[in-house]
Amino acid sequence: MAVVIPATATIFFEHLLVDVIRSMVDFNPGDRVRLTTPLPYLKTADVMPMLRPADLVDPTEIGTLLERRPGRRWAVQFERGDFLIDHQNLALAAQLSPESSHPQTHQSPPSH
């Protein structure tokens, strides 16, 4: 007897699997990271955090992990400040190439 799994359950489990895989990536202080998605705002990693505009960190900029904070967040040092970033919005710089974060169209050289 075959078990039929509804499509909605399959989609749920696919998303759950992606979340599990993301949580399995273990970051360490000193690792070089990039943002995986643009953020609507940034929160400073100060003792009393403040919200800052997201354009302070370029999407292609590589930051350095400083320390793990409560709530699965990391203090990340970027060129224009230290910010708290949720682990799911980070990827190791070696795992995320610039081409994958910003697709470019291939242009053939001009013919003469």
Side-chain angles (χ1 to χ4, degrees):
M1 178 175 180
V3 176
V4 178
I5 300 174
T8 53
T10 303
I11 292 170
F12 169 77
F13 286 114
E14 286 176 359
H15 288 282
L16 182 61
L17 181 60
V18 168
D19 289 341
V20 168
I21 290 171
R22 280 187 179 162
S23 68
M24 289 171 52
V25 174
D26 193 20
F27 296 123
N28 296 302
D31 285 349
R32 309 283 286 158
V33 294
R34 285 193 177 152
L35 295 176
T36 57
T37 58
L39 301 175
Y41 60 87
L42 297 167
K43 185 184 278 192
T44 63
D46 300 327
V47 174
M48 182 163 289
M50 295 184 295
L51 298 181
R52 305 288 293 154
D55 63 357
L56 290 176
V57 174
D58 186 88
T60 61
E61 186 176 346
I62 296 175
T64 304
L65 294 180
L66 299 175
E67 64 180 345
R68 189 176 199 125
R69 299 283 180 91
R72 300 174 83 179
R73 294 177 189 237
W74 282 89
V76 184
Q77 181 181 33
F78 289 101
E79 185 177 322
R80 298 171 84 186
D82 300 346
F83 302 102
L84 294 177
I85 311 289
D86 193 276
H87 80 283
Q88 69 185 9
N89 295 320
L90 295 171
L92 293 173
Q95 293 178 346
L96 186 64
S97 66
E99 293 80 25
S100 66
S101 62
H102 296 286
Q104 298 176 353
T105 58
H106 177 68
Q107 296 178 351
S108 57
S111 58
H112 293 284

